[in-house]
Amino acid sequence: MPTSPAPTDGHPVSSPHAPAGAFAEEIGRSVLTVKGLTTELRVEGGPIQAVKDVSFDLRAGETLGIVGESGCGKSMTALSIMGLLPRPIGKIVTGSIMLEDVGDLAQLPEARMKAVRGDDVSMIFQEPMTSLNPVFTVGFQICEAIQTHRPVGRTAARAKAVEMLDLVGIPLPELRFDSYPHQLSGGMRQRVMIAMALACEPKIMLADEPTTALDVTIQAQILNLMNRLKRETGTSILLITHDLGVIAKMAQRVLVMYAGVVVEEAPVRSLFGQPLHPYTVGLLKSMPSANRRSGPRQRLHTIQGVVPSLNALPRGCRYSDRCPDVHDRCRQAEPPLAAPDDAGDTATARKVRCWLHCKT
Ligand SMILES: Nc1ncnc2c1ncn2[C@@H]1O[C@H](COP(=O)(O)OP(=O)(O)OP(=O)(O)O)[C@@H](O)[C@H]1O
Ligand SMILES: [Mg+2]
């Protein structure tokens, strides 16, 4: 894993580039509040809860990371927020997704949701080619995104699109406006996606593995770009990744997901400094760069076993089958997500779903 394990303090307040005044004061305000979100997928063998009772808030100007192994429900959480669950099998069954100044996205009719997507909330994916249309120029597609949400003419939309291409670091933006997606490198295409996502100045941007498909150098460039744009625009980011190195570089707070549920929530420094849930401990130990510190020849740690199938979950704690610290109680009842009783000063900002840390 190429990126540094040590969390950088990407928080806009403490950044030397952070804008002073009103924006800085607004940090901490909740822009998106997800409460008790449960999302079901009707698959063969019966419905599964891909997301179960997930709650969190995304605050103004922050990057909140969601981390977990493949199949933990990270993408389904984001797609629930965007109203883009796979049809016809996906459905939000309970919970609310309150977006500031808009209301509960879980209740919005599709016509309203269409207006919200790309305007108040936008999303970027791992592979930009799946979101960019190969038969239109990138400039045309950014203009279309702008004109869908803003009553502007072609000239103004073009000017804004060129400005956005410039903002995301595309050289010769006037010329690149007329490029087709396949004429750009993977990194450039991801920059175009970010330009498109930010064109209407959304309140929040959901980024689902935005750099996983890119090589190391380009990955670092895109992450730096996202950090810079977040500082400059104040857009809050929900960043989904399986890579704790990316979390360390980007996020201020983290949710760790396992088999559809949140198992730990913490400020990034606390999570890296004192991980509580045995799953988080396992994820941290399997970071190659963290491992390198303890000796170049050391073998990579892996968490034993695999994420359980959602229609064959173990009784009690979902992690009990893989947990090195499992005890009787873990196999009897699922622990609640609660403030830990052994995390000292950091406890108020943290939550963990583990009987080892919530004894009552
Ligand atoms: N289109 C689909 N049809 C059926 N099951 C699905 C579909 N998409 C996701 N799932 C299931 O829903 C659960 C959550 O998947 P999700 O895509 O949210 O995982 P993820 O954490 O994003 O994983 P990854 O890191 O691989 O992207 C998994 O059990 C997955 O198999
Ligand atoms: Mg995913």
Side-chain angles (χ1 to χ4, degrees), residues 16 18 26 47 49 107 112 134 144 159 193 202 208 240 257 316 353:
E26 284 192 343
Q49 294 185 325
Q107 304 294 337
R112 281 278 329 272
E144 205 181 28
M193 281 308 303
D208 191 353
I240 290 172
M257 284 189 78
R353 190 185 286 279

Side-chain angles (χ1 to χ4, degrees), residues 19-264:
F23 168 53
E25 280 164 24
E26 284 192 343
I27 291 167
R29 188 185 89 240
S30 189
V31 182
L32 180 79
T33 307
V34 174
K35 271 206 189 121
L37 177 68
T38 298
T39 297
E40 229 168 60
L41 296 177
R42 269 181 289 119
V43 292
E44 242 176 85
I48 53 167
Q49 294 185 325
V51 178
K52 169 88 190 296
D53 196 19
V54 165
S55 300
F56 61 89
D57 61 347
L58 176 62
R59 299 171 195 159
E62 82 166 342
T63 298
L64 174 69
I66 302 186
V67 71
E69 285 165 293
S70 187
C72 283
K74 306 181 297 293
S75 294
M76 286 301 139
T77 302
L79 295 175
S80 303
I81 296 168
M82 290 297 283
L84 290 176
L85 287 168
R87 288 196 189 139
I89 63 164
K91 191 178 166 217
I92 295 174
V93 286
T94 52
S96 59
I97 304 169
M98 296 302 295
L99 179 64
E100 187 184 54
D101 301 331
V102 174
D104 186 358
L105 302 186
Q107 304 294 337
L108 278 196
E110 177 54 21
R112 281 278 329 272
M113 202 56 217
K114 259 194 185 136
V116 167
R117 273 195 296 269
D119 189 355
D120 302 279
V121 188
S122 60
M123 184 158 178
I124 55 172
F125 299 89
Q126 176 173 337
E127 179 39 75
M129 272 318 261
T130 55
S131 324
L132 289 170
N133 190 329
V135 303
F136 295 113
T137 65
V138 296
F140 176 86
Q141 293 182 64
I142 300 174
C143 284
E144 205 181 28
I146 295 167
Q147 289 186 291
T148 302
H149 299 290
R150 298 283 180 271
V152 294
R154 269 177 53 192
T155 315
R158 185 188 167 98
K160 179 73 182 173
V162 170
E163 182 194 317
M164 291 311 296
L165 288 173
D166 190 34
L167 186 72
V168 298
I170 294 201
L172 306 172
E174 290 273 3
L175 270 181
R176 283 304 183 194
F177 182 95
D178 293 317
S179 298
Y180 288 89
H182 72 270
Q183 295 173 316
L184 301 176
S185 66
M188 285 295 160
R189 284 199 288 263
Q190 197 55 290
R191 284 175 194 263
V192 169
M193 281 308 303
I194 294 172
M196 202 183 296
L198 293 180
C200 292
E201 293 155 29
K203 289 188 200 349
I204 63 175
M205 180 165 82
L206 311 185
D208 191 353
E209 304 276 4
T211 57
T212 307
L214 304 171
D215 72 46
V216 180
T217 324
I218 309 297
Q219 173 176 16
Q221 288 172 6
I222 297 290
L223 294 178
N224 287 339
L225 170 71
M226 286 173 62
N227 261 341
R228 174 171 69 79
L229 293 176
K230 187 197 66 165
R231 283 197 301 265
E232 288 173 4
T233 62
T235 297
S236 309
I237 301 177
L238 186 67
L239 176 68
I240 290 172
T241 177
H242 62 273
D243 185 339
L244 276 165
V246 170
I247 294 284
K249 192 170 160 55
M250 301 291 288
Q252 286 80 56
R253 290 189 305 127
V254 198
L255 299 178
V256 181
M257 284 189 78
Y258 185 78
V261 298
V262 174
V263 294
E264 183 157 4

